[in-house]
């Protein structure tokens, strides 16, 4: 992970030249949080007779692979005889010394130096695509080199026909870093394109060659690349006196898993950055109007390599062709052929407009398990050692909501991380300053504790560190301005709520809860739920399972795991069917005046509110906090009395125990595994069920395709910016190219069956994967979005709008 950026001033106006220095300082400072290991390096080019056209590239490096970090921008020449690496090597070696973080380090450049800023990882690389002609977009299959080990490389097993020596170039990644591998690939393609141009072979332009090279790389990345003009690279120009200015190339991977923003709000100035930079604090207002450069940032669409001509400012683009691993093609054909054979040889069960056969689902689940296992191996194999060099410190953490997505990530990480290394399970929960008890009973906290106990029972040899991150609303307000700047250009209440949950999870500051305390905590919360039901009925159960069926548990389940299941069913038993016709949602067994679910209760109250001219607030359950209960107020428990329910003679079993019982820690893991992408590909959200009810599998298929295509603008850029602000790197195993290609080609009925209830039919194939690896109880947990599961939406909406009912997720979030 790195923070990368550039600032180009194409304007002839003198006042822009005066502002460039200050703009570069602010841009460098903003990027430094993303790369604390080698921060605030830059290289500077000036063009034209008056040197009034300026290009500055910025890099701050978070060291993730290789023996030593290398400063960025990484300079290289198209001529092997240059000493450019000798000039740059010293900058990387100085990173351990005491350097002022507020000072920028400028790397000197020559006229023929190319400059690369690379933010990402290269897990696999195609070895046969370089011989193919360029196609603008589209898809083809290729043989991939697997870059997973420190001493050797692995090649796709299904096709060994390519020349073995072609794989030797990829050893660079395990000896140095993947930045060097990408540099070598770019160097080769640019040199070859210019050689063809000199020989009048115009079959492949330089832009096409770079685009083809980026297509070969599989992994999360964004990049910036400056390439001088052919006259400058020939050495005919003197340093810093370029008459032909060259080109800047930039882009993101196919899915947009790394953030890259562009700002062109000032005439003649272009800023590209991993994160939006605010220039509002500068002392002098910009002179072409009163607009400020921090106001209009845009997400760059992924899967495209852009080129800017520095002589004219013209921008062109070429789509990156998608390369599918030939191994995945083989797995897909195996599953689909098994489906056909089963349909012909056995009696199949017709469900809606799809045919489901058990053997084909089992085949698909096994193959998905293989691909997920490889995806996680790629992302944890080169985990960097924490700065403390302490064996007790972890290098990998899972963003752990307790749902099926995060549990599978944790379980498969266990297979590839050394047994003496802990794995951090980070769970975040929010509470109102006046009601700290809410932090202990958020849905995600209870689900995570439940899943944590199952993991520790299944793999007791692993040191699983459950880190409970409890955040008060006061702390949210303290970081509000920072988080709003990170999510820019997004600005909705929903985006802020999700982002703030990711930011505090990325910071990783919380308290450790061990297995014994987790057992007791789950039991106490269950007891509290039973007591609360008799006084003030809760709005909905904290934990929802597909069904209460203890026979699904394995015979080897421990007594403590059974206790968790029993405690969890305190919530799910107290439910009834909603009274409204056609609604399948559960309703509270007691308390709701309409005997309806939360959604339908609001519908019933709507005409009454319209008649009254204000919110009716009739229901003591679904308007909890806004209406006085119909019961005697003496029987209603206040937050203080709720604390008494959970307090025990031994304070170590309390939800809010002393610091000695729950030591405070900050996770040292640089790698954060996120489950983003699982729900979008396997119909995990409630809106997918609504789509299925409206239009069946055909409409759902289109919906899921759209979900994956818009991940870059809805989720990934925002999540990357928030998680990396604390010097961490988010990695997305469910969005590995091989996993995405496999799920994309799977028949929809193998991925989900929404005729089955929530917790069973959604993400059907993933729940089968969980059972294959021994995860039984947690495989039936029902999905909750992070803003609701962590309770940030409830806390934030109550403080901003008065209640969740009045809140609007699409409303613009304005800093208090």
């Amino acid at each position: 992970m790195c923070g990368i950026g550039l600032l180009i001033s194409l304007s002839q106006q003198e006042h822009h030249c005066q502002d460039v220095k200050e703009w570069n300082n602010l841009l460098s400072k903003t990027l430094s949080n993303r790369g604390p290991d080698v921060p605030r390096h830059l290289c500077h080019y000036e063009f034209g007779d008056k040197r009034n056209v300026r290009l500055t590239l910025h890099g701050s490096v978070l060291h993730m692979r290789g023996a030593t970090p290398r400063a960025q921008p990484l300079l290289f020449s198209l001529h092997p005889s240059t000493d450019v690496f000798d000039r740059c090597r010293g900058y990387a070696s100085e990173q351990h010394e005491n350097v002022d973080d507020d000072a920028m380090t400028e790397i000197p450049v020559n006229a023929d130096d190319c400059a690369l800023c690379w933010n990402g990882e290269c897990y696999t690389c195609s070895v046969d695509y370089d011989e193919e002609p360029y196609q603008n977009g589209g898809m083809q299959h290729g043989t991939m080199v697997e870059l997973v080990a420190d001493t050797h490389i692995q090649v796709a097993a299904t096709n060994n026909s390519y020349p073995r020596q072609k794989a030797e170039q990829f050893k660079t990644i395990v000896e140095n870093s993947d930045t060097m591998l990408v540099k070598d690939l770019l160097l080769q393609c640019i040199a070859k394109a210019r050689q063809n141009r000199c020989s009048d072979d115009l079959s492949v332009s330089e832009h096409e060659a770079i685009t083809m090279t980026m297509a070969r790389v599989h992994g999360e990345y964004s990049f910036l690349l400056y390439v001088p003009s052919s006259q400058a690279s020939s050495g005919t120009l003197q340093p810093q006196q370029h008459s032909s200015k060259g080109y800047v190339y930039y882009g993101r991977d196919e899915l947009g898993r790394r953030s890259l923003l562009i700002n062109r709000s000032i005439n003649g100035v272009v800023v590209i950055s991993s994160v939006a930079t605010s220039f509002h604090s500068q002392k002098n207002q910009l002179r072409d109007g009163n607009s400020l450069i921090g106001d209009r940032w845009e997400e760059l669409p992924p899967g495209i390599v852009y080129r800017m001509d520095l002589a004219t400012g013209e921008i062109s683009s070429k789509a990156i062709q998608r390369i599918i691993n030939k191994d995945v093609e083989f797995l897909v054909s195996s599953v689909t052929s098994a489906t056909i054979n089963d349909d012909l040889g056995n009696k199949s069960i017709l469900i809606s407009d799809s045919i489901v056969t058990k053997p084909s689902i089992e085949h698909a689940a096994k193959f998905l398990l293989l691909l997920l296992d490889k995806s996680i191996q790629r992302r944890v194999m080169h985990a960097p050692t924490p700065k403390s060099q302490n064996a007790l410190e972890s290098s990998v953490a899972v963003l752990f909501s307790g749902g099926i997505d995060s549990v599978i990530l944790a379980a498969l990480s266990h297979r590839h991380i050394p047994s003496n290394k802990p794995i951090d399970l980070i769970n975040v929960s929010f509470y109102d300053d006046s009601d700290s008890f809410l932090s202990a009973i958020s849905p995600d906290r209870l689900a995570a504790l439940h899943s944590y106990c199952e993991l520790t029972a299944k793999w007791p040899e692993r040191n699983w560190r459950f880190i409970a991150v409890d955040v008060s609303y006061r702390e949210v307000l303290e970081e509000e301005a920072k988080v709003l700047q990170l999510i820019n250009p997004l600005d909705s209440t929903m985006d802020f709520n999700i982002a703030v949950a990711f930011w505090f999870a990325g910071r990783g500051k919380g308290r450790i809860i061990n297995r014994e305390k987790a057992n007791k905590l789950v039991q106490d919360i269950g007891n509290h739920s039973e007591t609360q039901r008799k006084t003030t009925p809760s709005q909905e159960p904290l934990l929802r399972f597909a069904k209460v069926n203890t026979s699904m548990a394995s015979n080897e389940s421990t007594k403590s795991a059974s206790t968790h299941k029993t405690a969890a069913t305190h919530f799910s038993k107290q439910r009834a069917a909603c009274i409204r016709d056609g609604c399948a949602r559960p309703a509270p067994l007691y308390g709701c005046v309409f005997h309806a679910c939360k959604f339908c209760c609001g519908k019933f109250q709507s005409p009454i509110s319209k008649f009254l001219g204000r919110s009716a607030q009739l229901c003591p359950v679904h308007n909890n906090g806004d209406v006085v209960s119909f019961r005697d107020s003496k029987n209603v428990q206040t937050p203080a009395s709720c604390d008494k329910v959970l307090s025990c003679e031994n304070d170590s079993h309390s939800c809010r125990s002393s610091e000695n019982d729950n030591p405070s820690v900050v996770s040292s893991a640089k790698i954060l595994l996120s489950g983003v992408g699982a729900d979008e590909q396997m119909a995990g959200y409630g809106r997918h069920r609504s789509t299925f009810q409206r239009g069946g599998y055909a409409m759902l298929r289109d919906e899921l395709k759209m979900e994956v295509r818009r991940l870059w603008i809805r989720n990934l850029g925002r999540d990357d910016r928030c998680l990396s602000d604390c010097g961490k790197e988010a990695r997305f195993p469910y969005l590995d190219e091989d996993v995405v290609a496999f799920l994309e080609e799977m028949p929809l009925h193998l991925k989900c069956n929404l005729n089955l209830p929530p917790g069973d039919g959604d993400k059907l194939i993933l729940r089968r994967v969980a059972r294959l690896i021994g995860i039984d109880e947690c495989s039936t947990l029902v999905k909750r979005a992070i803003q609701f599961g962590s309770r940030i939406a409830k806390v934030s909406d109550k403080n901003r709008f008065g209640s969740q009912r009045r809140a609007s997720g699409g409303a613009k979030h304005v800093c208090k």
Side-chain angles (χ1 to χ4, degrees), residues 127-152:
V127 295
D128 49 11
Y129 183 63
D130 55 338
E131 303 298 334
E132 299 291 333
Y134 170 76
Q135 298 180 23
N136 191 23
M139 180 181 69
Q140 75 169 48
H141 296 85
T143 304
M144 309 300 294
V145 168
E146 195 73 53
L147 307 168
V148 296
D150 290 327
T151 57
H152 66 283

Side-chain angles (χ1 to χ4, degrees), residues 140 254 258 402 481 486 520 532 627 693 764 786:
Q140 75 169 48
E254 178 191 357
R258 289 287 174 261
L486 288 171
K520 181 61 178 176
Q532 190 181 43
V627 65
Q693 291 171 351
L764 177 66
I786 186 172

Side-chain angles (χ1 to χ4, degrees), residues 541-740:
L542 291 179
L543 280 189
R544 291 190 294 161
F545 291 87
K547 53 187 174 181
V548 181
N549 185 0
T550 55
S551 64
M552 291 181 60
S554 62
N555 295 331
E556 292 79 14
S557 297
T558 63
K559 182 178 180 180
S560 61
S562 299
T563 302
H564 297 143
K565 188 75 172 185
T566 303
T569 60
H570 279 296
F571 302 99
S572 56
K573 284 182 178 180
Q574 312 304 325
R575 310 301 284 168
C578 178
I579 196 173
R580 185 165 176 257
D581 292 339
C583 180
R585 300 180 186 89
L589 190 58
Y590 306 102
C592 178
V593 295
F594 299 105
H595 302 287
C597 68
K598 181 179 179 181
F599 178 80
C600 296
C601 180
K603 289 288 188 181
F604 288 135
Q605 293 188 58
S606 180
I608 303 174
S609 299
K610 186 175 181 180
F611 175 78
L612 295 174
R614 59 177 176 82
S615 178
Q617 299 181 1
L618 297 174
C619 183
V621 176
H622 298 118
N623 298 120
N624 190 25
D626 297 327
V627 65
V628 178
S629 175
F630 293 164
R631 302 177 185 272
D632 192 330
S633 60
K634 293 181 180 179
N635 294 329
V636 180
Q637 285 192 318
T638 63
S641 61
C642 289
D643 292 342
K644 294 179 182 178
V645 173
L646 289 182
S647 48
C648 307
E649 292 181 5
N650 185 354
D651 196 40
S652 65
H653 296 304
S654 173
C655 286
R656 295 177 295 168
S657 52
S658 66
E659 293 184 1
N660 292 332
D661 294 323
N662 293 303
S664 178
V665 297
V666 177
S667 174
S668 61
K670 285 185 176 181
I671 295 175
L672 302 178
L673 297 182
S674 170
V676 170
D679 294 295
E680 289 81 0
Q681 296 181 86
M682 293 172 276
Y685 288 116
R687 61 177 179 267
H688 297 144
R689 190 170 293 273
S690 300
T691 301
F692 174 75
Q693 291 171 351
R694 292 196 309 270
Y697 281 104
M699 184 177 289
L700 179 62
R701 187 178 297 107
D702 294 338
E703 175 82 6
L704 295 181
K705 287 182 180 178
M706 180 191 68
E707 294 268 4
V708 175
R709 285 198 300 266
R710 70 182 184 183
L711 267 173
W712 65 275
I713 197 167
R714 286 277 298 257
N715 300 75
L716 294 173
R718 175 199 64 207
D719 299 348
D720 173 69
R721 293 191 291 275
C722 292
L723 290 170
S724 62
D725 187 62
C726 297
K728 308 293 179 70
E729 178 172 283
R731 297 182 178 178
F732 309 100
Y734 291 107
L735 293 177
D736 182 87
E737 283 84 352
D738 292 350
V739 174
V740 172

Side-chain angles (χ1 to χ4, degrees), residues 100-174:
D100 185 3
D101 290 339
D102 292 330
M104 294 185 293
T105 303
E106 182 172 349
I107 303 174
V109 298
N110 285 336
D112 60 346
D113 287 345
C114 300
L116 171 66
C117 293
W118 171 258
N119 172 28
E121 306 293 338
C122 179
Y123 303 120
T124 61
C125 192
S126 170
V127 295
D128 49 11
Y129 183 63
D130 55 338
E131 303 298 334
E132 299 291 333
Y134 170 76
Q135 298 180 23
N136 191 23
M139 180 181 69
Q140 75 169 48
H141 296 85
T143 304
M144 309 300 294
V145 168
E146 195 73 53
L147 307 168
V148 296
D150 290 327
T151 57
H152 66 283
I153 58 176
Q154 296 181 358
V155 181
T158 58
N159 191 333
N160 293 322
S161 60
Y162 67 92
R164 192 72 186 182
Q165 63 271 19
K166 292 183 68 174
E168 293 300 318
Q169 61 178 307
F170 300 103
K171 289 184 178 179
T172 306
I173 188 171
V174 296

Side-chain angles (χ1 to χ4, degrees), residues 4-6 57 115-117 222-226 249-250 260 272:
I4 61 174
L6 65 79
L57 291 98
L116 171 66
C117 293
S222 62
F223 76 97
L224 304 169
L225 173 67
Y226 167 70
Y249 298 89
Y250 53 96
L260 197 61
I272 303 176

Side-chain angles (χ1 to χ4, degrees), residues 100 126 267 273 293 302 345 539 568 665:
D100 185 3
S126 170
N267 185 32
S273 174
I293 200 168
Q539 294 187 41
V665 297

